Amino acid sequence: MGKLDRRVVVITGAARGQGEQEARLFAAEGARVVLGDVLDDQGEALAKELGESTARYVHLDVSREDDWSAAVTTAKRAFGKIDGLVNNAGILRFNELVSTPLEEFQQVVQVNQVGAFLGMKTVVPELEAAGGGTVVNTASYTALTGMALLTSYAATKAAIVGMTRVAAMELAGRGIRVNAVCPGAVDTPMTNPAQLDPDVDPAEVAQAVDEVYRKLVPMGRIGRPEEVAKLALFLTSDDSSYITGQPFVIDGGWLAGVSVL
């Protein structure tokens, strides 16, 4: 018996990184997964690997309401219902506050904040129709503390924590739990774009990353996407049946403070 047997979960940003690991883990735990992303080749390949009885891929620009409606239609046609949502899709832009163009700020808001809003707005009625369910929103540890050069990103992630709390209050009576994961640095292409550069030696990249986070993080390393996936699984499964409205930090102790050693 898996922890998500017979459950149908929509996961955004599922073609790679945290979303891919969530999709793989959820499928291994018995869920049928609907993978949403704009990286069509990678998303379709992952769905094919997981198998038609387990997964479907749908092109999903999370900032577009029509795409969300299409994703819901795909999920219901393939699997009959929706029991869970993981709002994982997001983008990251580094810039000083006064140097951030309005267009860049709005782009991050559209994907990170509006995407999570539209996901909940569109999928929650389906969760209610299924008799209840779960939402896991991907925020960030920067939602709870500051970090230079991340005005737009931190603003959207703080908004996600706020929406999570409000949604949890509104939906508890309908059998729907809403929580947020707040990762610190995680070794994915979003935080480490060098992974996508074919001219860069992966071993050199890994060594450089290790050196940075050995100094910054109490646990001495960057996080792994599969570790975040396990937290998302916990919040989606019945193991967290009495938890809602909470932001869960998963950062190797980074938020705890600064080491002088």
Side-chain angles (χ1 to χ4, degrees):
M1 291 289 289
K3 292 186 176 183
L4 299 181
D5 281 348
R6 297 180 295 278
R7 298 200 65 191
V8 179
V9 184
V10 177
I11 304 172
T12 69
R16 68 185 185 194
Q18 287 177 192
E20 176 188 351
Q21 295 304 318
E22 288 160 350
R24 291 182 182 279
L25 180 59
F26 283 30
E29 289 288 346
R32 288 163 289 179
V33 291
V34 178
L35 316 176
D37 212 308
V38 295
L39 302 174
D40 295 333
D41 290 344
Q42 291 170 266
E44 289 169 358
L46 178 59
K48 183 178 180 180
E49 179 186 341
L50 294 176
E52 187 175 3
S53 63
T54 297
R56 291 290 191 283
Y57 174 76
V58 59
H59 180 90
L60 175 56
D61 177 343
V62 295
S63 69
R64 296 179 57 87
E65 196 162 9
D66 289 348
D67 279 16
W68 272 107
S69 297
V72 166
T73 298
T74 296
K76 293 178 69 177
R77 284 178 179 171
F79 302 124
K81 60 173 183 171
I82 302 175
D83 302 292
L85 168 64
V86 179
N87 271 320
N88 170 74
I91 59 174
L92 175 66
R93 298 291 182 269
F94 292 95
N95 221 331
E96 290 183 341
L97 169 62
V98 297
S99 300
T100 301
L102 177 59
E103 181 180 3
E104 178 179 292
F105 184 89
Q106 291 176 327
Q107 179 190 29
V108 177
V109 168
Q110 283 296 118
V111 175
N112 295 1
Q113 182 176 338
V114 174
F117 161 73
L118 287 176
M120 289 190 287
K121 182 177 185 291
T122 308
V123 174
V124 159
E126 304 301 329
L127 302 181
E128 187 172 7
T134 57
V135 176
V136 177
N137 292 321
T138 303
S140 167
Y141 108 120
T142 62
L144 307 174
T145 187
M147 179 178 286
L149 306 180
L150 290 184
T151 296
S152 54
Y153 183 78
T156 60
K157 296 304 185 176
I160 287 171
V161 170
M163 287 193 295
T164 296
R165 287 171 170 149
V166 173
M169 294 174 66
E170 292 182 355
L171 301 175
R174 306 179 202 180
I176 299 170
R177 298 186 296 106
V178 187
N179 291 290
V181 296
C182 299
V186 179
D187 197 13
T188 68
M190 187 179 79
T191 57
N192 185 9
Q195 292 183 9
L196 304 176
D197 188 342
D199 297 325
V200 174
D201 182 353
E204 290 183 4
V205 172
Q207 182 178 357
V209 168
D210 286 345
E211 289 176 0
V212 170
Y213 291 103
R214 190 179 300 116
K215 300 174 183 177
L216 290 176
V217 177
M219 289 184 67
R221 64 173 176 85
I222 193 170
R224 297 186 292 268
E226 56 268 30
E227 292 174 312
V228 181
K230 290 177 182 177
L231 177 56
L233 171 64
F234 169 72
L235 294 173
T236 301
S237 74
D238 288 340
D239 288 344
S240 57
S241 59
Y242 196 53
I243 299 174
T244 195
Q246 302 305 312
F248 285 80
V249 177
I250 175 169
D251 69 347
W254 200 355
L255 189 62
V258 177
S259 175
V260 296
L261 301 178

